[in-house]
Amino acid sequence: MSDEDLDRIARGYREFVAEAQPTSPLYAELAGHVAGSGTVLRFLAGLPVGKRQPNLLLAALQFLDGAPADGAELERRITKDNDRVRATVLARATQTNEPARCGALLPVLAQLEGPLTLIEVGTSAGLCLYPDRYGYDYDGVQVGPADSMRIRVETSGAVPVPTAVPEVAARIGIDLNPLDPTDAGDRDWLRALIWPGPVAEERRARLDAAAEVAAREPATLLAGDLVDRLPDALDLAAPGSTVVVMHTAVLPYVPGKVRARFAEAVAGLPVRWLAQEPPGAVPGTGERPAGGWGKEFVVSLDRRPLARSAPHGGRLDWLAGDPA
């Protein structure tokens, strides 16, 4: 390994400090420690390039024995338990499945002609495939089933808050390694992907509730590449439905060439393309912020930016008019 490799990894962890600080001061502290630790940087340099990112390492540590209390504990665990940490990092992937993101997708989905077939790429356990099964609170305006998990959204601008949830005729997910919402190990991994912080317990409760919904009404989950499996997913669409290809916080983890292939493929299909991604991840949604993917997402339909949202849900700032 070269000093350049170590510097590159350290730079990524320093960038993560700023990203994590507002919602997880502990993760910001741990990432800062990693950036200055030759021991941990060398451990990371020994992993494949796609397995070195902060949220994967920290999730693996949390999955195994809980989040380290400080940088010293993190370094001690990497030093003494590196085989188990390495095995977990190699076996797992960053597959955060935050159902609260449906609060940003619903105002768009509800205005498309139904019924809908939802095809989610990077679906993880498929928890965002159930926007019609969750309840919502948009600044006090209640939408959806009254007896279900409630997703609260603070809004600004002319958000087209729907009066009802859309009809979903088919739910199809694509992922390199789909997770099973009924599997205890997979659910534990999803919980470990939640950053420790003020809203962590709320997010875990929401995750558990959404997993129960998905377990009762299983979606069709396809294993494989998001471009290669798109035709198979389209074959499963409900007859006469509007097909929506959707994804949230997926494209930053996809290599640039694959992102370009995916954008070209979706643009050539008779589908609507709904995304909630950092600026620049979808063509036409702005420029990628310097130093990382940023702290704010863009909600877009067919490459047209409609709103900005908090990365894990909870806030929606409307930019445009009728999404349909």
Side-chain angles (χ1 to χ4, degrees):
M1 71 192 71
S2 67
D3 289 343
E4 184 178 348
D5 289 333
L6 299 181
D7 289 344
R8 186 181 304 110
I9 297 170
R11 185 164 59 251
Y13 276 76
R14 285 194 294 270
E15 291 171 353
F16 184 78
V17 170
E19 180 182 348
Q21 186 62 54
T23 55
S24 183
L26 175 60
Y27 267 13
E29 176 190 344
L30 296 176
H33 182 89
V34 171
S37 168
T39 299
V40 183
L41 291 175
R42 285 190 292 273
F43 168 80
L44 291 166
L47 297 171
V49 172
K51 295 289 186 176
R52 300 171 177 174
Q53 64 264 38
N55 44 4
L56 179 57
L57 174 68
L58 297 173
L61 291 167
Q62 186 168 199
F63 178 70
L64 291 171
D65 295 300
D70 52 31
E73 182 185 336
L74 180 149
E75 186 143 354
R76 184 167 59 252
R77 288 168 60 180
I78 292 293
T79 302
K80 295 186 176 181
D81 201 17
N82 57 64
D83 288 343
R84 211 163 55 114
V85 176
R86 180 181 291 106
T88 302
V89 168
L90 292 177
R92 294 290 183 172
T94 49
Q95 294 176 278
T96 297
N97 216 180
E98 177 48 76
R101 290 173 177 151
C102 288
L105 304 179
L106 184 72
V108 183
L109 292 171
Q111 296 198 40
L112 301 180
E113 183 178 355
L116 306 178
T117 287
L118 301 183
I119 298 175
E120 184 185 21
V121 299
T123 195
S124 186
L127 304 187
C128 288
L129 284 168
Y130 300 85
D132 56 323
R133 296 294 186 251
Y134 306 143
Y136 303 85
D137 181 331
Y138 291 94
D139 293 323
V141 178
Q142 309 297 314
V143 182
D147 58 350
S148 66
M149 173 191 71
R150 194 143 298 272
I151 295 170
R152 292 176 175 79
V153 186
E154 297 179 0
T155 70
S156 70
V159 176
V161 177
T163 58
V165 295
E167 177 187 354
V168 178
R171 312 172 203 274
I172 305 154
I174 302 172
D175 201 284
L176 288 173
N177 179 35
L179 300 182
D180 182 354
T182 68
D183 181 84
D186 283 351
R187 284 171 71 158
D188 285 346
W189 176 244
L190 287 171
R191 290 168 64 86
L193 286 165
I194 296 173
W195 300 359
V199 298
E201 285 308 311
E202 178 184 344
R203 289 186 62 195
R204 289 189 185 102
R206 187 163 54 234
L207 172 71
D208 290 342
E212 292 297 328
V213 171
R216 289 195 301 268
E217 188 178 349
T220 300
L221 302 183
L222 306 178
D225 177 81
L226 73 171
V227 179
D228 296 341
R229 296 308 305 265
L230 262 180
D232 301 320
L234 287 170
D235 288 343
L236 298 172
S241 65
T242 296
V243 179
V244 183
V245 174
M246 53 182 270
H247 48 90
T248 68
V250 169
L251 296 187
Y253 302 100
V254 176
K257 291 183 178 179
V258 180
R259 283 201 305 271
R261 286 176 51 227
F262 173 70
E264 182 179 2
V266 178
L269 294 173
V271 303
R272 308 305 299 268
W273 180 9
L274 174 60
Q276 185 188 19
E277 298 282 358
V282 173
T285 60
E287 297 295 326
R288 177 179 175 176
W293 283 103
K295 306 171 187 175
E296 190 171 57
F297 283 6
V298 176
V299 179
S300 64
L301 180 67
D302 303 331
R303 304 189 184 192
R304 176 189 170 202
L306 297 177
R308 294 188 178 274
S309 72
H312 294 124
R315 193 192 80 249
L316 186 63
D317 308 319
W318 202 254
L319 305 174
D322 182 1

